[in-house]
Amino acid sequence: RRFPTVELRAETFNGSTHVPIPSDSAFLKALLLELRLVDEHVFVEQRDTCTRINHSSVHSVSTPAGELWPVLAFHKSGLIYACVPLVEGSLEPRPPLLTVTGLSQGLALLLGIMDYVSPSRKNEAELSSKVGQLRNLLIQACPLGTPLNTNIRSLNSSFDDIQELPADKDQPAWRSSTYKGKPQVNVCISEKVKCMQYDQRDVVDTWQVYGAVNCKCDIEGSAPNVTLSLTLPTNAPPLQDIVVHHCVTSVDPAMLMSTSAEPLNDSVYNGPYKFPFIPPSESFDLCYYTSQVPVPPILGCYQLVEEGSQIKITVNLKLHESIKNSFEYCEARIPFFNRGPIAQLEYKVSHGQLDLSREKSLLVWIIGQKFPKSLEVSLTGTVSFGTPGKEHPTDFVCTGNTAYVKLYFRIPDFTLTGCYVDQHSVQIFVPGKPKLTASRELISSDYFIWNSKAPAPMVYKPLLD
């Protein structure tokens, strides 16, 4: 697929260094030569000289008009996936790969196409059908050449309502299809909490919250207007580092200026967080944010002490009283890598159950869906190990007493910031009353509790007298 708008931009950016993309057949012939899929056993100087050792999937393809660079291409399971990303600047001297943002976007798009196509590669009819559908899917994925959604699988597989060109001049490019049916809006606030806890006097525990507001708007019309508001409880910490989707038509500039890099003060914008937008046809993330919440949801202490050939472990966990005590799942994983398989285990848990992984190097403490009334649970145990084999898992971090407990949990219908969608504040300017479904969730992400009896990796260590 070609995008004349992108080719025009390339010509403008690259100036005299611009190399136009040749015809499809000429480009394919040159690409096959570059990828060594033709004339593999023939020495081709421009391709095989020792001054051109390529360690990546970024290629320079020789064309009659000159060297076309960068061409992102790779060969996988009998198919070639390729694209020519836009370089927003001069090509001489060639900019470092890390500075070309189009490369990461192009790679994400190609991997999305591969994920969509590859399951069907053994069935030729199914593969042919999927490749035939790609053109229509790409209209949704990157309507003007800029990838908006690289998850090709998630796109609409029904092509009856996809328009090559919008019938309505007011229809934005990102709204590639029109919906027919009862209007409905689904919103999900998903927060992830990262945590590092040390239980040491001279080391500060750290935790961070990242939120995303995902929307799916099934609404009739070429350019429907929707306004959605996020609300916080009284005295809750404000949302910061807010990034909005390009379909948002206007926001208060103060909302975007609030950053976690600066200390909180009274001037920080604390709402209302109002987002007017014209929704895309597919599911999308309306905005992302962070927040400086005062406490982590689960406080923990982990102690590991070696006594001869055995180690003694103690794990204490406490759910903060402000957290909803209703989990979809909650478990603590205690790895023992680099030590050999667990040969003997004696333990006592105050709540839940303890399982041993198949390779006998990981204890999985299943706490379940609720903490007890005390909101505290504990595990004590003695572990001894056998002789490690070649297949036994290793980890560069879990050496000696540098060990950790990692928590995995999900709390439905809850956010750590308290952020929620006020259903009465949602405005949808279309005929009929749309059905609104709002949900929330809190999920753990890299939630570590380090052994307090040993030094551990840390974000920073303050100076204390």
Side-chain angles (χ1 to χ4, degrees):
R1 181 169 177 82
R2 290 171 177 265
F3 296 95
T5 51
V6 179
E7 294 190 45
L8 184 62
R9 290 180 68 203
E11 195 173 344
T12 305
F13 276 122
N14 305 157
S16 60
T17 60
H18 177 68
V19 177
I21 299 174
S23 66
D24 291 357
S25 57
F27 177 75
L28 177 59
K29 185 177 178 181
L31 183 61
L32 291 173
L33 185 71
E34 171 66 22
L35 295 177
R36 294 180 170 82
L37 296 175
V38 295
D39 295 339
E40 182 182 359
H41 303 295
V42 178
F43 178 79
V44 180
E45 185 173 355
Q46 69 191 38
R47 178 190 70 188
D48 301 320
T49 174
C50 60
T51 59
R52 277 196 60 192
I53 300 174
N54 207 333
H55 295 290
S56 72
S57 298
V58 181
H59 301 272
S60 179
V61 175
S62 182
T63 73
E67 292 283 315
L68 183 62
W69 183 93
V71 176
L72 185 58
F74 54 88
H75 182 230
K76 186 79 173 175
S77 304
L79 295 173
I80 299 170
Y81 300 86
C83 69
V84 184
L86 174 67
V87 179
E88 298 182 342
S90 176
L91 295 172
E92 291 181 7
R94 284 186 181 174
L97 295 182
L98 288 175
T99 65
V100 182
T101 56
L103 282 172
S104 57
Q105 294 177 333
L107 181 59
L109 182 63
L110 292 182
L111 292 176
I113 293 172
M114 186 177 75
D115 180 57
Y116 170 73
V117 169
S118 59
S120 311
R121 61 186 175 80
K122 292 180 181 176
N123 184 328
E124 206 161 309
E126 191 177 338
L127 176 62
S128 177
S129 171
K130 282 199 169 182
V131 171
Q133 292 169 359
L134 269 178
R135 178 177 175 81
N136 287 322
L137 291 174
L138 283 172
I139 292 172
Q140 300 177 71
C142 44
L144 292 175
T146 300
L148 303 181
N149 186 356
T150 56
N151 185 0
I152 307 298
R153 270 198 208 186
S154 71
L155 299 176
N156 189 3
S157 58
S158 170
F159 307 108
D160 298 336
D161 57 351
I162 295 177
Q163 306 160 13
E164 283 285 343
L165 290 171
D168 190 329
K169 63 181 178 62
D170 295 325
Q171 182 169 333
W174 62 82
R175 192 167 172 80
S176 54
S177 63
T178 54
Y179 174 77
K180 301 291 183 185
K182 190 173 181 180
Q184 52 188 2
V185 175
N186 290 288
V187 184
C188 177
I189 302 176
S190 181
E191 289 187 355
K192 291 185 177 180
V193 55
K194 291 188 175 186
C195 194
M196 290 278 179
Q197 295 183 38
Y198 303 96
D199 191 36
Q200 294 185 17
R201 179 183 158 274
D202 60 339
V203 184
V204 176
D205 295 344
T206 63
W207 55 92
Q208 298 162 304
V209 180
Y210 304 89
V213 181
N214 183 268
C215 299
K216 179 72 167 73
C217 302
D218 295 326
I219 304 172
E220 291 188 359
S222 58
N225 286 291
V226 179
T227 299
L228 184 147
S229 294
L230 300 181
T231 307
L232 292 175
T234 308
N235 299 325
L239 305 184
Q240 295 176 287
D241 306 320
I242 298 173
V243 179
V244 300
H245 192 273
H246 59 78
C247 73
V248 175
T249 52
S250 65
V251 289
D252 190 320
M255 185 193 304
L256 305 180
M257 296 296 288
S258 179
T259 169
S260 58
E262 298 173 1
L264 285 173
N265 55 57
D266 294 338
S267 65
V268 171
Y269 187 88
N270 57 6
Y273 302 94
K274 189 173 284 189
F275 301 90
F277 59 96
I278 299 173
S281 310
E282 69 279 352
S283 172
F284 71 102
D285 288 327
L286 176 67
C287 69
Y288 302 94
Y289 62 84
T290 68
S291 182
Q292 300 180 45
V293 295
V295 290
I298 298 176
L299 291 167
C301 170
Y302 178 36
Q303 295 184 347
L304 180 150
V305 180
E306 295 202 41
E307 293 184 356
S309 61
Q310 294 182 327
I311 65 167
K312 288 192 172 182
I313 61 168
T314 303
V315 184
N316 293 308
L317 302 174
K318 181 178 181 181
L319 181 68
H320 195 271
E321 57 268 16
S322 65
I323 306 302
K324 181 182 178 184
N325 189 9
S326 178
F327 294 78
E328 181 181 309
Y329 58 84
C330 181
E331 64 182 46
R333 297 184 187 180
I334 311 167
F336 296 103
F337 301 134
N338 311 318
R339 290 181 180 271
I342 295 174
Q344 191 173 355
L345 170 64
E346 295 178 5
Y347 69 90
K348 181 181 178 183
V349 290
S350 67
H351 184 80
Q353 67 182 65
L354 192 68
D355 293 337
L356 179 61
S357 67
R358 189 176 60 182
E359 69 276 5
K360 298 186 176 179
S361 63
L362 178 72
L363 295 180
V364 180
W365 181 14
I366 301 171
I367 296 164
Q369 296 181 319
K370 273 187 179 292
F371 275 66
K373 282 188 178 181
S374 64
L375 302 181
E376 295 184 41
V377 294
S378 63
L379 160 68
T380 56
T382 305
V383 188
S384 57
F385 303 90
T387 306
K390 287 184 179 179
E391 73 287 346
H392 194 73
T394 59
D395 190 312
F396 292 112
V397 175
C398 286
T399 55
N401 289 350
T402 304
Y404 61 79
V405 174
K406 189 173 182 182
L407 297 186
Y408 296 81
F409 58 82
R410 178 180 181 270
I411 307 177
D413 195 28
F414 180 81
T415 50
L416 197 53
T417 60
C419 182
Y420 66 96
V421 175
D422 183 355
Q423 300 201 21
H424 299 293
S425 71
V426 177
Q427 296 175 306
I428 304 172
F429 302 98
V430 292
K433 188 176 181 181
K435 179 185 177 184
L436 177 67
T437 305
S439 59
R440 304 188 294 171
E441 63 178 3
L442 177 67
I443 303 173
S444 63
S445 171
D446 294 334
Y447 204 106
F448 290 94
I449 300 168
W450 293 92
N451 177 20
S452 62
K453 296 294 185 181
M458 55 195 65
V459 179
Y460 57 86
K461 190 172 183 176
L463 295 173
L464 295 175
D465 295 329

